[in-house]
Amino acid sequence: MSATPRILAVAPRLALATTQIFKHSLIKAVKTTQKSNCHTLPHTNNQTDRDHQGRDQSTGTTQLASPPSPRKAILVLGMHRSGTSALTAVLGFLGCDLPELLMPAGPENEKGFFESNRVTPLNEKILASAGSIWFDWSPIHSNWFQSPEAAQFHDQAIEVLHQEFGTSELFVLKDPRICRLLPFWLKVLEADDCQPLIIHIFRAPSEVAASLAKAQSREPQSTLLLWLRHVLDAEANTRGRPRMFTNYDTLMDNWETVATQFPEVFGVELPRDAKQAAPEVTDFLTPSLRHFTYADSSSNMDALPEWVSQVYAIMQKWAATNEDPADHSKLNTIRAAFDEAPANYGPAFQKIQALYESVTNFESQADELQTVKLQQAKLTSTLQLRDLRVKDLTTQQVENQDQINALQTEQDTLLQQQDKLTSTLQLRDLRVKDLTT
């Protein structure tokens, strides 16, 4: 039995513990945010109430409104292992420009990541400057995005966009890290006169946890929190902008809906229609891309932490029936409580991750030991077969030696007879000679 199934087997118990931990924070956050969220946002086609400075009153985030631009940047936003690569590939088949320098394919994405090999290293540097890393589920403080540390990457980011996309009027920018760096990248795109078109893609949290456990040896419960961080930050920081929501299952089973919804949501036609791209997309979106599938049954949903299950349910609803602004206040409440969680529970989860890595290493070593034992058993079997063969050959050798000895005896007898016959012939010759004399 491999390490991953053994580890995932304990996920429901850890999920229950996680839920109990966060219920306390959620209750506390609800009490502290009820007053600010007591109004219901109007259904204004993805628009939110803003003050005169452009601040989103529902989230407290500042977003810059921009006039229409001839250049469009499709931002594919989603958690790692959620189908962002597959969606980006489909958009490429539909005629959108992909990065010039693509990240090479790897064991976890054999068909490719379809993300820039310049943007991803840059995002790693930006996260490090903000005191974070790709698997960190704590929030990046909003003040950091206005700091000199953030500003030092601005021109470099614009240069990377030029290197990767040139003057393209419709390109795809994808890296899951952007979900947590949206205030930075939205500012960069607008400075480069690019209008962002937002596509959110999500996947069942339990599938993401299983996939990332296999690909990166990440502890499943921490991965669920990382999923929550990516989804909440990406959603909150793109309100009021053109955006659409889809999920991994829809992409795999009915990808044409992306091509259909795109012009309806953004008012932009894709360079190729679905019929033109269908042969390439169908050849690409094979079942081999999906390694983990968990049904969204009530038991599976109950195993998720409460915040994760609630946000996942909202995302599912939005993907199926369009965004409902009435859900914004609930998402705000969860996000506010979740932002406070790392200070209280971050160290505990760091210990859990360290323990998980130790268990993973132990199970990996156990698997290696089992492999060595199997190899040893195979070698032992081979040696036994060799010994039997040697024994057979030894027996054959003895039999052959007996035959050789018998032949040697027969040869000696024949030589004796030959000598005797030779002597007889010699005597006969002498007798003949005497008679002729």
Side-chain angles (χ1 to χ4, degrees), residues 82-94:
S82 292
T84 56
S85 298
L87 176 56
T88 302
V90 169
L91 291 169
F93 290 130
L94 289 169

Side-chain angles (χ1 to χ4, degrees), residues 21 42 45 69 97 100 109 126-128 131 169 177 192 246 250 269 301 306 322 371 380 437:
I21 287 174
N45 193 24
S69 167
D97 291 327
E100 177 187 71
N109 263 17
I126 296 173
L127 285 172
E169 295 186 357
R177 297 161 185 81
D192 200 33
T246 189
T250 298
E269 294 295 331
M301 293 295 288
E306 185 174 357
N322 297 323
T371 300
T380 299
T437 303

Side-chain angles (χ1 to χ4, degrees), residues 21-245:
I21 287 174
F22 285 137
K23 276 186 177 179
H24 174 73
S25 290
L26 180 57
I27 294 171
K28 177 181 177 182
V30 169
K31 292 180 179 178
T32 58
T33 58
Q34 276 178 336
K35 293 183 180 180
S36 62
N37 290 318
C38 62
H39 65 282
T40 301
L41 297 175
H43 195 300
T44 55
N45 193 24
N46 294 341
Q47 295 297 322
T48 54
D49 293 342
R50 298 176 185 277
D51 59 24
H52 66 281
Q53 294 180 334
R55 179 173 296 274
D56 185 334
Q57 295 176 348
S58 65
T59 64
T61 58
T62 300
Q63 300 174 348
L64 302 176
S66 61
S69 167
R71 300 182 66 214
K72 314 291 183 184
I74 303 173
L75 278 182
V76 172
L77 301 179
M79 166 64 181
H80 302 268
R81 316 304 298 167
S82 292
T84 56
S85 298
L87 176 56
T88 302
V90 169
L91 291 169
F93 290 130
L94 289 169
C96 305
D97 291 327
L98 301 183
E100 177 187 71
L101 185 61
L102 287 173
M103 180 180 293
E108 62 272 35
N109 263 17
E110 295 179 355
K111 292 191 175 184
F113 293 88
F114 299 94
E115 64 189 58
S116 165
N117 214 16
R118 294 186 177 104
V119 170
T120 298
L122 175 60
N123 282 335
E124 292 282 12
K125 292 179 182 178
I126 296 173
L127 285 172
S129 175
S132 187
I133 196 170
W134 74 267
F135 53 80
D136 181 12
W137 52 272
S138 59
I140 297 176
H141 199 283
S142 58
N143 290 343
W144 182 87
F145 292 103
Q146 310 302 324
S147 69
E149 286 77 9
Q152 68 177 331
F153 294 104
H154 183 271
D155 292 344
Q156 186 178 351
I158 291 179
E159 178 62 25
V160 165
L161 289 180
H162 292 173
Q163 291 175 332
E164 293 291 36
F165 305 107
T167 59
S168 171
E169 295 186 357
L170 184 62
F171 61 88
V172 188
L173 180 60
K174 169 257 176 179
D175 177 12
R177 297 161 185 81
I178 294 177
C179 291
R180 302 179 58 221
L181 298 172
L182 272 168
F184 172 85
W185 278 105
L186 290 173
K187 186 176 180 180
V188 167
L189 289 171
E190 288 166 352
D192 200 33
D193 196 28
C194 294
Q195 180 188 7
L197 309 179
I198 314 297
I199 302 182
H200 293 265
I201 183 168
F202 63 93
R203 185 181 183 184
S206 51
E207 293 182 12
V208 172
S211 182
L212 204 56
K214 179 179 180 182
Q216 298 287 343
S217 297
R218 302 306 303 173
E219 191 274 319
Q221 295 306 302
S222 294
T223 296
L224 295 178
L225 303 183
L226 191 62
W227 180 95
L228 190 63
R229 172 58 59 199
H230 281 68
V231 173
L232 287 175
D233 284 7
E235 186 281 321
N237 285 299
T238 57
R239 286 186 197 170
R241 297 179 181 274
R243 64 182 185 175
M244 60 181 282
F245 292 82

